[in-house]
Amino acid sequence: MRMRWEPFLEAVRERGEYPTRQEAERAARVVLALLGAHLVGDVRVELAARLPETFELILLNPLQAAEPLDPQRFVRATAAWIEGATEETALWDVGAVLSVVADAAGENLMRDALLQLPPGYDLLFGRPRAD
């Protein structure tokens, strides 16, 4: 089921403690564009279908990644795309957005998505695995 625009952005705003929805939207656009470069096939399509339409398109038309980024490099890349961001603030942005994405995805789809990502992304999504 597709998450609607308002609830998605409000959840990101609350989790990221952003003073405005515009800041939450900026973080969501960057993080989802980077995430889309790391997911492929049905997993990316199914995840995109659960997001508001604007974010669906961003996930399906991602920034190009030359290689999969480990979690630390993903955070650094996020910082590079958000004006004035540091690695610390980018980690906050990534966690705020990806935790909402994980809620929208549900357990089964999240499991499939994490299988496509380098180790450690479970923590970025706020879903640490108990191996």
Side-chain angles (χ1 to χ4, degrees):
M1 186 162 126
R2 180 182 304 276
M3 196 167 186
R4 291 183 29 242
W5 178 262
E6 296 291 330
F8 182 89
L9 265 189
E10 186 58 25
V12 171
R13 191 193 67 71
E14 285 178 10
R15 291 182 191 179
E17 298 180 11
Y18 301 107
T20 66
R21 285 190 2 188
Q22 289 78 13
E23 289 181 61
E25 182 179 346
R26 178 200 67 202
R29 286 177 180 276
V30 170
V31 171
L32 291 172
L34 287 167
L35 178 64
H38 290 76
L39 298 175
V40 297
D42 290 343
V43 169
R44 186 167 73 185
V45 171
E46 287 179 37
L47 185 57
R50 296 188 186 191
L51 302 177
E53 285 183 33
T54 299
F55 296 128
E56 174 185 25
L57 295 174
I58 290 169
L59 192 70
L60 292 175
N61 297 291
L63 297 170
Q64 295 303 308
E67 62 185 71
L69 301 175
D70 65 36
Q72 186 176 18
R73 289 179 57 214
F74 185 91
V75 170
R76 274 192 238 131
T78 301
W81 280 94
I82 297 177
E83 185 178 336
T86 65
E87 285 187 38
E88 291 78 23
T89 62
L91 180 58
W92 189 264
D93 294 331
V94 169
V97 174
L98 293 186
S99 66
V100 176
V101 169
D103 290 347
E107 293 303 316
N108 292 336
L109 184 52
M110 271 312 307
R111 184 187 61 245
D112 294 344
L114 288 170
L115 288 173
Q116 289 190 6
L117 298 167
Y121 271 80
D122 56 326
L123 297 175
L124 295 180
F125 280 93
R127 301 292 197 271
R129 290 193 280 209
D131 294 326

